[in-house]
Amino acid sequence: MSSQGPVPPGEPARPVPPDTPAPLADFHFGLDAHEMLRRTHVLAALGSDWDPVAAMRGEEEAYDLLYSGLSAEQQRIHDELVAAGVLPRRGGGDAAA
C-alpha cells in the first residue's frame, strides 16, 4: 500500500515501487442496516406507552432530589464543579420547561 494516501478520482495512479506488498483485501462494512435494526429493537423494548417527556421530567426530579439538602461544604464543591463544567448548570433556563 502506498504511504502517499489515496489517489483522488480523475488523477492518474501513482507508480508503486516493485517491493511494495499488495494489500490482502479491501473490506468495507456498511452498518446502516444494523443500526436501524438496533434502533427498532430499542423502541420495541421501550414499548408503545413510553413517554420521553415524562422520562426527562423524572430524570430532572431525580437530579433535584440528588442535589437537595447539601451541606455548605457540599454546596461549595457542587458550585465549583458546575463552574468548571464538570456538572451541568441546572435551572438556568437553558432547556424548555
Side-chain angles (χ1 to χ4, degrees), residues 83-96:
V86 175
L87 292 175
R89 188 171 309 280
R90 302 185 44 75
D94 296 340

Side-chain angles (χ1 to χ4, degrees), residues 17-95:
D19 60 340
T20 302
L24 295 177
D26 189 16
F27 288 103
H28 295 278
F29 293 100
L31 299 177
D32 294 340
H34 183 269
E35 176 62 15
M36 292 305 295
L37 181 62
R38 185 195 67 80
R39 290 180 186 187
T40 301
H41 286 279
V42 166
L43 291 175
L46 290 171
S48 61
D49 60 340
W50 178 64
D51 182 3
V53 175
M56 291 297 293
R57 283 190 190 122
E59 188 172 322
E60 290 295 319
E61 291 171 6
Y63 277 118
D64 291 342
L65 184 59
L66 178 65
Y67 296 120
S68 67
L70 299 178
S71 70
E73 176 67 9
Q74 290 170 328
Q75 186 65 52
R76 183 189 64 76
I77 293 170
H78 177 268
D79 293 342
E80 287 179 8
L81 292 172
V82 169
V86 175
L87 292 175
R89 188 171 309 280
R90 302 185 44 75
D94 296 340

